[in-house]
Amino acid sequence: MSKSRKPAPTPKANPLPPQPGTLVGNLGEPIILPEIKIDGFAAEAAKDGKIKVWTKLALTSDDPIFHRMATNLIATIKNHTAGISVDFDRTKVMLLVIKPGKHSELWADTAAMSVAAMAKRALEAGNVVFENDIVDVIAMSFPLVEINKEDRVFCLFRQDWRFALYFDTNPDKNLSLDEFQRSLGNLFRNLKYRHIYDAIESPEISEKLLKAGWFPFAEIITSEFPDLIKHCEANLDLQSVEERIIASFDEERLTRLLQRWLAKPHFASREVVLRSAVKNFLAKDPVAVIKTIVTEIEGILNEAYRTQNGVGAKGKALREFAVALAERKAGNPYTLLMAKPFAEYLEKRMFADFDPLAGNGDAASRHAVGHGEAKAESYTQVAALQALLTLDQFAFST
């Protein structure tokens, strides 16, 4: 009698593909080492048996002490990695997590890494993101590495041609993961966009940019602004690069700006006015753009201030309010939103005083425009775009 055959097993369905924006796993496993005893780094030479010790610090390879500290950290790790092949010279991101009383985990280019950024435009999961979509970098993290409150953390990484080091030996056994991630984000931003910070900090370059009315506005900081820097560094006339920037602000791009503005309640109440300004820019009517925008900015700020505080304000109080909002939103005053430098830019440009008797007013000054004292030749398409970008800066920060 023949045996009946068992039915063939039903093939298992393939697992669903990972959803866009989700991390499936790290790039590899950590190297498990014995617990490494590092309580800090000497901040000075020992004097009379006393010494200051850094237990938490963030620094880059621009800092003189960086190379000594990084070298000593790597040497200490190497003492615990005998027989383990790790090419530290080629490692781009090294993360060391010390589990007190247990072991240490060394991740050498194997931990999944995430950078939290602020984007210029609306993005859906799975969209391709380009550098010129980025407005600011908020944090950097290792979302699939377990890091607990009692752990000590050390992160050494390279970005372009610079390095950064962050460590927290956590003597209080109360590690702040948020602070760790934000500190890494600050370091990443510092390395990635060092050329922009250098330009702003250079009196010669910043003075040229200011005189021409330019600032690292959020909309152009990672796209057109580096070209402005290069022209200033080479002492070249800005006309050609300005013409390219003007041309890049076509109807599609300006529509994106307008949508960003109207998402804010204190902008949305002025929709008719703002649409008129955009329409006039496209029509190459800088007078109408400037007359509209520079007289609306203070009203927009005042409405945002009144919403938060119940009463209105004016002048310097409004500008300080806008800067404080930007600092709070980005985490510090020197992110790519450039809250502090922007406040200085406003004081020297849009809210600058002028002497009507000297006839030195131009379209960059709200006061000169409002009093009809701006020179006719200063109403240019470049000045009109700078007014729009100044308004746009407030849309990011308020």
Side-chain angles (χ1 to χ4, degrees):
M1 184 174 179
S2 62
K3 295 182 180 179
S4 61
R5 293 183 178 181
K6 292 182 180 180
T10 303
K12 292 183 178 179
N14 291 327
L16 291 173
Q19 295 299 306
T22 61
L23 292 171
V24 178
N26 291 308
L27 302 178
E29 295 298 322
I31 298 171
I32 305 300
L33 304 171
E35 182 185 4
I36 300 175
K37 300 291 186 181
I38 303 177
D39 295 314
F41 290 82
E44 61 183 7
K47 298 176 182 178
D48 303 323
K50 297 180 181 179
I51 188 172
K52 290 183 179 178
V53 175
W54 283 312
T55 59
K56 179 165 60 177
L57 195 63
L59 66 165
T60 73
S61 49
D62 293 332
D63 296 301
I65 195 67
F66 170 87
H67 299 280
R68 181 183 300 175
M69 296 177 69
T71 299
N72 288 337
L73 175 62
I74 294 298
T76 301
I77 294 173
K78 282 182 176 179
N79 288 337
H80 292 76
T81 57
I84 299 175
S85 177
V86 179
D87 190 345
F88 290 101
D89 292 335
R90 294 179 180 274
T91 300
K92 185 175 180 180
V93 182
M94 187 203 76
L95 173 67
L96 176 67
V97 181
I98 300 177
K99 306 285 186 181
K102 298 179 182 178
H103 60 268
S104 303
E105 294 180 358
L106 177 64
W107 300 82
D109 287 336
T110 51
M113 190 176 75
S114 174
V115 175
M118 186 185 300
K120 294 178 188 176
R121 61 187 177 94
L123 294 168
E124 296 180 357
N127 284 166
V128 174
V129 180
F130 301 97
E131 184 177 0
N132 60 14
D133 289 324
I134 302 302
V135 173
D136 209 351
V137 175
I138 306 302
M140 183 176 113
S141 64
F142 303 96
L144 301 181
V145 175
E146 183 180 348
I147 301 177
N148 300 313
K149 279 193 172 185
E150 68 274 12
D151 294 342
R152 287 168 282 171
V153 289
F154 301 79
C155 186
L156 177 63
F157 67 94
R158 182 178 72 228
Q159 176 60 46
D160 299 330
W161 298 105
R162 290 185 174 92
F163 294 81
L165 170 64
Y166 178 84
F167 65 87
D168 187 350
T169 62
N170 194 17
D172 297 326
K173 309 299 182 192
N174 190 28
L175 179 71
S176 169
L177 200 56
D178 180 69
E179 183 180 354
F180 174 51
Q181 294 170 353
R182 283 188 172 271
S183 296
L184 292 181
N186 290 341
L187 289 170
F188 177 89
R189 183 177 58 246
N190 185 295
L191 300 185
K192 181 69 177 176
Y193 301 104
R194 187 67 253 170
H195 57 295
I196 294 175
Y197 288 109
D198 286 343
I200 295 301
E201 293 167 4
S202 164
E204 182 181 1
I205 302 301
S206 61
E207 186 62 31
K208 289 179 182 177
L209 290 167
L210 179 65
K211 186 176 180 180
W214 290 108
F215 180 80
F217 298 107
E219 175 63 24
I220 66 171
I221 190 169
T222 56
S223 49
E224 291 91 353
F225 189 70
D227 277 346
L228 288 166
I229 295 175
K230 291 174 185 175
H231 275 65
C232 287
E233 289 172 341
N235 203 27
L236 297 174
D237 185 85
L238 296 181
Q239 183 178 349
S240 62
V241 68
E242 287 178 336
E243 289 175 352
R244 290 198 299 273
I245 294 174
I246 293 294
S248 73
F249 280 83
D250 55 13
E251 185 172 1
E252 181 182 355
R253 189 171 186 181
L254 286 165
T255 298
R256 288 202 303 269
L257 262 67
L258 184 60
Q259 290 172 345
R260 181 157 65 226
W261 302 344
L262 299 182
K264 304 281 184 174
H266 43 292
F267 282 77
S269 62
R270 292 167 169 78
E271 180 175 354
V272 173
V273 178
L274 298 179
R275 285 189 182 278
S276 174
V278 169
K279 181 180 178 181
N280 285 313
F281 182 84
L282 292 171
K284 296 181 171 54
D285 185 355
V287 174
V289 176
I290 293 168
K291 287 281 190 179
T292 301
I293 293 299
V294 302
T295 54
E296 286 297 314
I297 282 180
E298 191 157 343
I300 288 171
L301 288 177
N302 196 23
E303 186 172 333
Y305 186 97
R306 189 183 299 112
T307 299
Q308 181 166 310
N309 298 286
V311 295
K314 61 182 181 179
K316 189 175 181 180
L318 287 179
R319 299 193 291 279
E320 290 177 346
F321 165 72
V323 171
L325 283 181
E327 289 182 22
R328 193 179 313 137
K329 186 172 184 178
N332 74 63
Y334 292 101
T335 69
L336 291 182
L337 286 181
M338 301 279 180
K340 285 289 188 186
F342 185 55
E344 296 168 6
Y345 173 83
L346 291 174
E347 291 293 336
K348 294 177 180 178
R349 294 289 297 182
M350 184 162 286
F351 294 98
D353 290 327
F354 78 101
D355 184 356
L357 297 178
N360 63 349
D362 64 37
S365 167
R366 173 187 175 279
H367 302 298
V369 171
H371 291 284
E373 293 285 350
K375 297 176 183 177
E377 61 268 24
S378 68
Y379 286 93
T380 66
Q381 195 74 344
V382 169
L385 179 59
Q386 290 166 348
L388 291 172
L389 291 175
T390 299
L391 176 69
D392 187 56
Q393 195 78 9
F394 287 117
F396 282 107
S397 58
T398 61

